[in-house]
Amino acid sequence: MSDIKPSSGLDRRRLLAGVGTAGLMVALAPAVQAQGATPYSLAEFFQYDRLISVALSPSGEKIALLKETRENGVRLAMVDVFSVSNLSQPTSRSRLGDFIADQMDWANDERLLIGLIQIVSRDARVRSDRSTITDELITHASRRMISLDTVNGGAVVLFENQPGAMAYSIDLGRVVDLLPNDPDHILMISRDGARQGGILISASAGAVALYRVNVNTGDAERIESGTDQTIGWRTHNGTPVIRVDISPRGTYETLYARTEGSSDWRLLTRRRITETPEFEFITTGSRPNVILVAARREGEDTSSVRELDLTSMSYGPPLTSRPNRDVAYGVLDDTGRYLGAAYFGDRLEYDIQGGLGAQHRALNGYFGGNSNVVFWDVSRDHNRLLLRVNGAQDPGSWYLYDVAARHVEALGARLPLEAARLSPTEAVDVSTRDGRSIRAYLTGPLHGRPGPLVVLVHGGPELRDTLGWDRQVQALVARGWWVLQPNFRGSGGYGQAFAQAGWGQWGNAMQTDIEDAVAHAIRLKGLDSGRVAIIGGSYGGYAALMGAVLRPDLYKAAIGWAGVYDLSVFLEYERTSDDTPDDFIYGVWRNRIGDPSTQPATVEAASPSRRASEIQCPVLLVHGEYDEIVPKSQSEIMRRALQSAGKSVDFIEVRNAGHGSWVDEVDLELWRRYIDFLARAFA
C-alpha cells in the first residue's frame, strides 16, 4: 500500500469552481506553514462559498457534489454530478435555488436525494433552534427533501401527495432507511397531523409516523405510527424494530424494541442525549431478529460492538472493543453491511478486519498521519471509497480512492482555506496534582511566539475534544493567541471510569485539572501567565465562571454561553421538570453534581453565582432565549449576582434560539464580540 498514487492532469479549476483548492492541495502532502503567512480574518471562517457534501452512487460509478455559494448577493445551492470515469467535467449541473443545502445521498444510481432548508418568515412566534428574530418578525427553518433525476433531469418533492404535511410541517427531511434493496423507495418520517372532525388543522402536531416514499413520484404511504414524542425508528431489512422517543424538553431518549412481525414495543433502554451513549444502533445483523449495537453492559468500562437478540432481548459478547476507548460509531458500506468500528484516540481510529483495515492504515500514512480519514461512502463492491479528510489545518476535504488502482483523486474542499494559513494542533499529556494523567490539545498562532492563552472548555461534561477541525480554535489563534483544550476527568469517550472520576467534582478536581493543564501549557511554551482567559459553552460555561471564582489571580476574562451557574437552582429545575420514570434525568445530574438535600453546602460552594464577589475579571454571558436544556434564567441569575457584587458583566440574549445552536450569521456576530472582549482584557 506504500504506492498509493495522487491524481495528475485533473482540471481542478473546473472541478472545484466556487469551493477552493488550497486547503485540498496541501492535504496531499504534509502541510508546511509559509514564512510570514497571513492569518485569516474572522469573517473568512464563516464565508458562504462551501462544499456541503459529496456522495458516491451505490455502483461507485457516479459522484455528486453539493455546493452552496452566492450569486449577485443571493444564496444559491447547486449540485454537480460526475462520472467516475471522467471527473474533469460534470455530466449535469442543477441549480437548486435560494436554499440552505443540508444533506445528500443516492437513492439509487439515477436518483439523488437532497435535503434543503428554506428560511421562512411568519407573524406568529415559532420556536426553532435554527432561527433568529428581530422585533416580532419570526423566521424559522422549513426542511424539505427532493429527489433529483440525474439522467433525464427534473425533480420531485417527497411527500407531494400529502398536501397537509407540505403546507404545515416544518420538517419533511428525515430519512430512516435508504432501503438499498428497493431502489424505488425509502423510509421517512412525518407527523400524522392534528385533526378535528376528520379535518387536518395542523401537520406539525399529532403523532409522528413512518412513511414509505416513492423516490420517482414523491408519493408517501404511511406504514407505522409512533407517538407525539417519537423522533425515529431503526429498521431490520426495512422493518421497524427499534423506536426512539424523545422527552418534551429534549434531554433524554427512550428506546423501545420489538421482533419482526410483532406490534408490541418493549422498553429497551433510556439514554441522556448529551453524554457518550450507553447504547447505539449500528446496523442489521446476519440473522433474523438480531441487530448490531454499540453498548456498555454492567461491569464494563467501555462500550463495544455486540449483537442484540430482539427475541430474548439479550446481548452477545463484545465483537470489537478497546481499552479506554468507547465506540464512536459503526463503519458500514453502501448496503448497510458492517465493516468495523470507529474509535477516537487523539484522532479517528478504525478497527476493521481484512483488506479495508489495511487500506485505512495506509491512507492515514498517505495523508501525513495528522488527519481524520473517514470512509464517507463505500461502494457495494468495496472497490471505490469516498473519503472525507479533516484535521486542524483542514476544514474537510473529499477524495475518491480506487482500491484496485491504489489511486487517490481529489474532489473538493469544504472551505477555500489554505493549510499554510492555519495552525497545527499539538497533543500534550498533563500530570495532575493528584497523580492522574489527562490529555489536552494546544494550538498556537502562526508566528509561534509566546503570548496570551485562551482556555476553551468543552461541554457535556461527558464529551471530549479531539485533534480535528475546530473553527473556534482557528478564529482565536488567528488573533495571535494560544488556545488550550483540556480533556479533564469527567470527559467522555475514555470509558466509564474516567467519566465517573468527575462525578461530584464540579468546582473541585475537574476544575483543578484545567488549572494544571494551563500551568503545563505556560511552562511548555513560555506563555504569558499574566494574560490568560477562559471560555466555554454549557458545562464549559460553568467551568469558565467557576475558574474565574477559584483563580482570580489567573484569569483576566471569562466568557460563558448557555452555562449553568447556580447548581441548586438548576437541580431543582431538573427535579421539577423531570417527567421520566424514577426521576431518571434528575438522578443523572444529582449523581454528577451532588445531592442538594444531603450536601447543600458542597453544592452551594460549587456554584459560581453564590461566589460572584470572588470574581475579579470582566465576564461576558450569552444565552439562547428558548434554551430548555439549561434555562436562560441561569445566566440571568449569574448576571444579577455579579451586578450586586459590583462586578463587570455583559449579557447577550440570542433571540429565538436554543441551547447554543446559533446560525452562522449570529455566530459570526457573537465571535466578533468575544474577540473584542478578550482583546480588551489582554490589552
Side-chain angles (χ1 to χ4, degrees), residues 203-500:
S204 59
V208 174
L210 184 64
Y211 284 80
R212 186 169 179 264
V213 184
N214 189 305
V215 297
N216 305 303
T217 65
D219 291 350
E221 174 190 9
R222 185 172 62 84
I223 62 171
E224 175 91 17
S225 288
T227 71
D228 59 357
Q229 295 180 354
T230 299
I231 59 170
W233 285 264
R234 303 293 183 265
T235 60
H236 190 289
N237 298 324
T239 300
V241 293
I242 291 179
R243 193 184 84 218
V244 184
D245 289 5
I246 194 169
S247 65
R249 288 176 48 221
T251 55
Y252 73 95
E253 293 174 345
T254 303
L255 282 71
Y256 302 89
R258 70 184 185 192
T259 57
E260 298 175 62
S262 172
S263 59
D264 297 327
W265 291 105
R266 295 172 290 171
L267 177 65
L268 177 60
T269 189
R270 230 184 273 116
R271 64 185 182 192
R272 189 166 68 92
I273 292 174
T274 56
E275 66 184 335
T276 303
E278 300 291 321
F279 178 96
E280 193 69 53
F281 174 86
I282 292 179
T283 191
T284 58
S286 58
R287 294 173 286 131
N289 292 316
V290 174
I291 60 176
L292 290 182
V293 301
R296 180 183 3 251
R297 305 303 296 149
E298 187 174 352
E300 296 178 346
D301 184 50
T302 60
S303 64
S304 57
V305 178
R306 62 217 315 153
E307 291 185 335
L308 170 60
D309 189 318
L310 296 173
T311 303
S312 62
M313 298 285 275
S314 60
Y315 293 86
L319 302 178
T320 57
S321 62
R322 291 192 179 184
N324 306 316
R325 296 285 186 271
D326 290 309
V327 173
Y329 58 86
V331 185
L332 312 177
D333 68 9
D334 182 78
T335 66
R337 175 187 169 192
Y338 175 73
L339 302 177
Y343 301 85
F344 275 98
D346 290 325
R347 296 182 181 85
L348 179 67
E349 305 165 358
Y350 276 178
D351 188 346
I352 298 177
Q353 302 302 313
L356 285 181
Q359 302 287 343
H360 190 260
R361 291 189 293 273
L363 287 163
N364 265 307
Y366 174 76
F367 287 106
N370 58 3
S371 298
N372 300 301
V373 181
V374 179
F375 284 179
W376 190 257
D377 272 340
V378 179
S379 66
R380 295 188 178 188
D381 62 4
H382 296 182
N383 187 52
R384 286 180 174 142
L385 310 179
L386 185 60
L387 312 175
R388 189 181 191 277
V389 181
N390 76 85
Q393 294 169 273
D394 184 355
S397 303
W398 281 269
Y399 301 84
L400 177 66
Y401 177 50
D402 188 305
V403 175
R406 295 184 179 178
H407 176 80
V408 175
E409 191 78 51
L411 299 173
R414 181 168 176 81
L415 287 173
L417 301 177
E418 299 179 31
R421 296 176 63 187
L422 299 167
S423 294
T425 299
E426 175 184 356
V428 295
D429 288 313
V430 177
S431 296
T432 67
R433 62 193 67 182
D434 61 351
R436 283 183 172 268
S437 179
I438 63 169
R439 200 72 154 167
Y441 302 110
L442 184 61
T443 309
L446 290 177
H447 56 64
R449 296 187 297 273
L453 174 66
V454 179
V455 187
L456 178 58
V457 187
H458 68 69
E462 291 175 23
L463 301 173
R464 59 160 296 185
D465 286 312
T466 62
L467 285 177
W469 172 251
D470 193 311
R471 180 169 68 181
Q472 296 176 346
V473 170
Q474 294 295 330
L476 290 166
V477 298
R479 287 298 305 250
W481 306 328
W482 290 75
V483 178
L484 177 69
Q485 300 168 278
N487 282 332
F488 45 85
R489 74 189 74 188
S491 298
Y494 293 103
Q496 185 70 4
F498 190 83
Q500 280 190 262

Side-chain angles (χ1 to χ4, degrees), residues 588-656:
V588 165
W589 286 117
R590 184 182 56 208
N591 288 340
R592 284 154 177 78
I593 295 172
D595 191 335
S597 65
T598 60
Q599 304 167 289
T602 300
V603 173
E604 181 173 336
S607 298
S609 66
R610 306 293 178 99
R611 303 176 64 177
S613 62
E614 299 173 57
I615 295 176
Q616 300 300 317
C617 67
V619 171
L620 175 60
L621 303 172
V622 182
H623 223 111
E625 180 184 19
Y626 293 135
D627 190 340
E628 292 187 297
I629 306 300
V630 177
K632 183 184 65 173
S633 57
Q634 283 287 313
S635 285
E636 293 170 337
I637 290 170
M638 190 73 230
R639 177 180 58 172
R640 288 194 298 269
L642 287 165
Q643 289 173 335
S644 296
K647 306 300 181 178
S648 173
V649 58
D650 291 327
F651 175 63
I652 302 172
E653 178 182 304
V654 184
R655 300 291 304 279
N656 207 39

